[in-house]
Amino acid sequence: MKLPQAGFIPRDREWQPDALTPPYKTSLKRSPQSALLSFPSTVSEETGPVFGHDILGPLDNDLIHNYAAEGASAIGPRIIVHGKVLDELRRPVPNALIEVWQANAGGRYRHKNEGYLAALDPNFGGCGRMITREDGSYSFRTVQPGPYPWPNGMNDWRPAHIHFSVFGQSFAQRLITQMYFEGDPHIALCPIVGTLKSPEAVSALTALLDMNATVPMDARAYRFDIVLRGRRQTYFENRPEGT
Amino acid sequence: MAQHLDYLKESPSQTAGPYVHIGCTPNFTGIEIYDSDLGASLKRGPVKGQEITVSGTVFDGTGTPLRDAMIEIWQADAAGIYPSPNGSHDPDFLGWGRSAGNMETGEFTFETVKPGGVPNPDGRIQAPHITFWIVARGINIGLQTRMYFADEKEANQGDPILTRIEHQNRIPTLLAIAEAPGQYRFNIHLQGADETIFFDI
Ligand SMILES: [Fe+2]
């Protein structure tokens, strides 16, 4: 028997990064100063857009080939990134749209504002997307991105990372984050990673090398699980008299 | 010692960074892998209700427009029903839109419909509103707010959320102003005297 759905578990603002994080300079003028207005989720947050598998092209989750010329492939260490999308109550989140973007193996983005002199790879676009399966699992293939310098301090370099945008089943679950790679020495030095409040939060965004999912002579694998907000289920929701 | 609760922690947010458009609106940046950018249109045919245009700009604390933001909206149809699989909503209305903003000015524009009121958990009706979600470089966790309509005075005065706001003098930051019939402006200020009210829902 299914329990009725109730509201979302409030976002843990003690765990999530603050808006104002001075070592990440851009946050100074882009962070609201007033307290957020908190109230329980309503239908506006408990619903959300649903994406069908029909939007996906066959190479959407293959960044090695989705921008490459016929017969060519992107240059760099070939990896598979896979994992599960779960909610805070450990339930799989199926049909979640995941969009990813990243620099190429040299650390260069295909973007007009990019200032790093590393070379573009003519066969690498840098984005991909997929929808989670019934068990919440997803996977995509790409090249491991390189670290890159960015204008913040005089000599700040981002650790290698892949950006993730995730939709759950409700707009309340909307999340954008980044995946880091186990063992990258830049993780400890990065002001953006530094917006995370605890070593546990950094670990939660650091993917592990997964030799069991590696394809011999083809691609190594990294495992990266994602957790979205959970929705309570209860028979004991208070409703005012007469409604 | 006691038992422990085995909830998982939500994945921590990280900024969308300067290149969010590569991932979410790649066609806008000239990367043509997908047929089109998701969320470019909220309609897939003729829709019911009053068709409106919502435009605005996101400003930082110095009053500078953001040109590297991504703005998403989510709203009910004209009858106040949110689109859902097998739902009873207007079948040609998608409810969700996404904008990278104008390349030069950063201004976003959504062609949509004026939403109907939607039920509150306590049974009252919420005034018509559109949920906004803003991410960009320098924003560590997506900012959520709501756009209400200045010309829905009566509904706004009875709205369960608007009436709960302590600083009533900040409510205008949530109101879209009609500049012409069906043309609404909703600017978002991340900081400063006109700082928009952001929500934690
Ligand atoms: Fe990046």
Side-chain angles (χ1 to χ4, degrees), chain A residues 12 15 28 44 90 180 239, chain B residues 6 9 14 82 121 129 191:
Chain A
D12 185 351
W15 163 259
L28 278 146
S44 302
R90 298 180 182 269
Y180 304 105
R239 298 283 170 185
Chain B
D6 68 345
K9 298 301 289 181
Q14 292 274 264
Y82 279 97
H129 63 269
Q191 227 180 61

Side-chain angles (χ1 to χ4, degrees), chain A residues 109 148 161 163:
Chain A
Y109 281 95
Y148 61 82
H161 63 275
H163 297 266

Side-chain angles (χ1 to χ4, degrees), chain A residues 17-29:
Chain A
D18 290 330
L20 177 63
T21 50
Y24 177 23
K25 293 180 182 176
T26 316
S27 76
L28 278 146
K29 293 294 179 193

Side-chain angles (χ1 to χ4, degrees), chain B residues 92-138:
Chain B
D92 288 321
F93 185 65
L94 302 169
W96 176 76
R98 171 186 271 176
S99 172
N102 178 286
M103 202 130 1
E104 271 78 47
T105 64
E107 183 180 66
F108 60 79
T109 299
F110 295 104
E111 303 286 342
T112 184
V113 298
K114 196 168 191 186
V118 300
N120 201 51
D122 65 6
R124 287 187 283 169
I125 297 294
Q126 303 186 45
H129 63 269
I130 297 176
T131 293
F132 273 69
W133 192 69
I134 302 118
V135 293
R137 177 173 66 95

Side-chain angles (χ1 to χ4, degrees), chain A residues 37 39, chain B residues 148 159-174 197 199:
Chain A
L37 179 69
F39 58 88
Chain B
Y148 292 82
D159 181 78
I161 287 163
L162 289 179
T163 49
R164 244 186 60 184
I165 294 174
E166 180 190 352
H167 297 109
Q168 290 283 311
N169 58 343
R170 293 185 67 207
I171 287 184
T173 70
L174 302 178
I197 296 178
F199 294 88

Side-chain angles (χ1 to χ4, degrees), chain B residues 29-128:
Chain B
T29 70
I31 299 174
E32 289 168 359
I33 294 173
Y34 315 142
D35 290 342
S36 61
D37 287 333
L38 286 178
S41 173
L42 284 104
K43 310 166 192 170
R44 74 176 139 224
V47 291
K48 297 175 190 130
Q50 186 197 354
E51 302 203 39
I52 61 168
T53 303
V54 176
S55 306
T57 305
V58 183
F59 294 97
D60 73 11
T62 73
T64 306
L66 270 63
R67 294 186 304 166
D68 52 9
M70 178 177 79
I71 298 105
E72 291 184 356
I73 62 170
W74 173 241
Q75 64 163 93
D77 68 10
I81 302 168
Y82 279 97
S84 65
N86 314 315
S88 56
H89 59 278
D90 180 345
D92 288 321
F93 185 65
L94 302 169
W96 176 76
R98 171 186 271 176
S99 172
N102 178 286
M103 202 130 1
E104 271 78 47
T105 64
E107 183 180 66
F108 60 79
T109 299
F110 295 104
E111 303 286 342
T112 184
V113 298
K114 196 168 191 186
V118 300
N120 201 51
D122 65 6
R124 287 187 283 169
I125 297 294
Q126 303 186 45

Side-chain angles (χ1 to χ4, degrees), chain A residues 11-13 15-19 21 24 26-34 36-39 41-45 47-51 60 66 87-88 90 97 99 101 109-112 114 125 127-129 167 171 174 176-178 180 192-193 195-196 201 205 226-227 229 239 243, chain B residues 6-16 18-20 22-24 26 29 31 33-34 38 60-62 66 68 70 72 74 82-83 85 96 98 103 118-122 126 129 131 133 135-141 143-144 146 161 164-165 170 190-191 195 197-201:
Chain A
R11 196 158 246 154
D12 185 351
R13 299 280 171 179
W15 163 259
Q16 290 288 353
D18 290 330
T21 50
Y24 177 23
T26 316
S27 76
L28 278 146
K29 293 294 179 193
R30 293 187 170 194
S31 47
Q33 309 290 297
S34 298
L36 299 175
L37 179 69
S38 299
F39 58 88
S41 61
T42 77
V43 65
S44 302
E45 295 75 35
T47 53
V50 174
F51 302 95
D60 281 7
N66 67 13
D87 72 11
E88 291 168 292
R90 298 180 182 269
L97 173 68
E99 296 161 293
W101 65 101
Y109 281 95
R110 184 172 289 282
H111 195 280
K112 66 178 170 51
E114 167 70 279
C127 64
R129 61 185 182 181
F167 289 83
F171 210 58
R174 193 76 182 86
I176 279 184
T177 190
Q178 303 182 26
Y180 304 105
I192 289 177
V193 176
T195 66
L196 300 168
L205 296 184
I226 297 163
V227 181
R229 287 175 69 188
R239 298 283 170 185
T243 64
Chain B
D6 68 345
Y7 295 108
L8 297 172
K9 298 301 289 181
E10 183 188 16
S11 294
S13 171
Q14 292 274 264
T15 180
Y19 307 121
V20 59
I22 293 177
C24 295
T29 70
I31 299 174
I33 294 173
Y34 315 142
L38 286 178
D60 73 11
T62 73
L66 270 63
D68 52 9
M70 178 177 79
E72 291 184 356
W74 173 241
Y82 279 97
W96 176 76
R98 171 186 271 176
M103 202 130 1
V118 300
N120 201 51
D122 65 6
Q126 303 186 45
H129 63 269
T131 293
W133 192 69
V135 293
R137 177 173 66 95
I139 296 177
N140 291 323
I141 180 163
L143 295 171
Q144 194 175 328
R146 284 182 172 194
I161 287 163
R164 244 186 60 184
I165 294 174
R170 293 185 67 207
L190 301 181
Q191 227 180 61
E195 183 178 307
I197 296 178
F198 294 101
F199 294 88
D200 178 32
I201 310 180

